[in-house]
Amino acid sequence: MGDQKATRDEEFQSFVIGCWPRLLRTAFLLSGEQHAAEDLVQATLEQVYVAWRRVGSADAPEAYVRRVLINTHARRHRRRLKEFLSPKGDSGLGHERPDPGDPMGRADSRSVLLKALAQLPPRQRQAVVLRYWEDLTETQTAEAMGCSVGAVKSNAAKGIAKLRAIPGLDEMVTSGGRK
């Protein structure tokens, strides 16, 4: 019995090491604050660890974990916990170290984009982040958000339209990026 638990723990640890940067990035884009993102990922992984035997044997464990992350974030939002893009008087976003391979981490106008994302309603923000940052298909996004593909399309389109209407944000769009 102890060997099975040790093996399961090693599998979980390996999974966490592999997906931590992507989960943290998604959580950061949803919550807008580094510490809140870390708390969100931690709470998600606590839930997943309890069910790891079932989750680890699933076809797409990372998709399952992403869904738990989205649901955990939605529960927190429903409880009316405030989300802050950055604490007043402190540029907390400057302390976040983006992954070197992350093109958005290299963007000079990162704070402009994060402030723009914070202006979106939660469902639109989720759709935009999952579709355009995480590069999920509409079907994968719908599964992660727990809604229909049509709702994903609608929320993403509305979110992108709101982002396009924000002055100065259009300068961030590169010729090679999605619009």
Side-chain angles (χ1 to χ4, degrees):
M1 182 77 174
D3 289 339
Q4 287 178 340
K5 183 176 181 340
T7 302
R8 189 172 69 232
D9 286 351
E10 287 174 15
E11 288 174 3
F12 181 74
Q13 182 180 11
S14 176
F15 173 79
V16 169
I17 290 169
C19 73
W20 178 267
R22 290 181 300 280
L23 291 174
L24 188 60
R25 180 182 59 218
T26 301
F28 180 75
L29 292 168
L30 292 174
S31 67
E33 203 269 320
Q34 183 68 25
H35 298 294
E38 291 170 358
D39 289 346
L40 180 58
V41 173
Q42 183 65 35
T44 299
L45 292 174
E46 287 173 3
Q47 293 176 44
V48 169
Y49 178 75
V50 172
W52 182 248
R53 182 177 298 149
R54 181 172 40 91
V55 175
S57 63
D59 290 337
E62 192 167 341
Y64 181 93
V65 173
R66 190 180 309 110
R67 173 72 186 267
V68 173
L69 180 97
I70 296 291
N71 289 343
T72 302
H73 177 261
R75 264 192 308 280
R76 288 181 177 181
H77 182 73
R78 277 194 298 269
R79 287 187 204 141
R80 301 287 185 224
L81 291 177
K82 294 183 179 181
E83 296 176 355
F84 295 98
L85 187 58
S86 65
K88 293 185 183 202
D90 180 22
S91 174
L93 296 176
H95 302 300
E96 190 234 347
R97 302 265 188 245
D99 186 31
D102 181 9
M104 291 314 302
R106 295 187 303 264
D108 292 335
S109 302
R110 184 179 177 98
S111 64
V112 173
L113 184 56
L114 292 173
K115 287 177 185 175
L117 278 173
Q119 294 176 21
L120 296 179
R123 295 298 278 179
Q124 289 177 14
R125 186 179 338 145
Q126 289 171 359
V128 169
V129 166
L130 293 173
R131 281 287 292 132
Y132 299 102
W133 248 285
E134 297 300 321
D135 203 26
L136 299 181
T137 66
E138 290 168 342
T139 303
Q140 291 170 325
T141 303
E143 289 172 6
M145 291 176 61
C147 63
S148 68
V149 171
V152 168
K153 289 179 181 181
S154 174
N155 281 309
K158 289 176 185 175
I160 292 295
K162 285 182 182 179
L163 291 175
R164 284 184 176 151
I166 296 173
L169 195 58
D170 57 344
E171 298 165 5
M172 291 184 55
V173 178
T174 62
S175 59
R178 284 191 203 195
K179 293 184 179 183

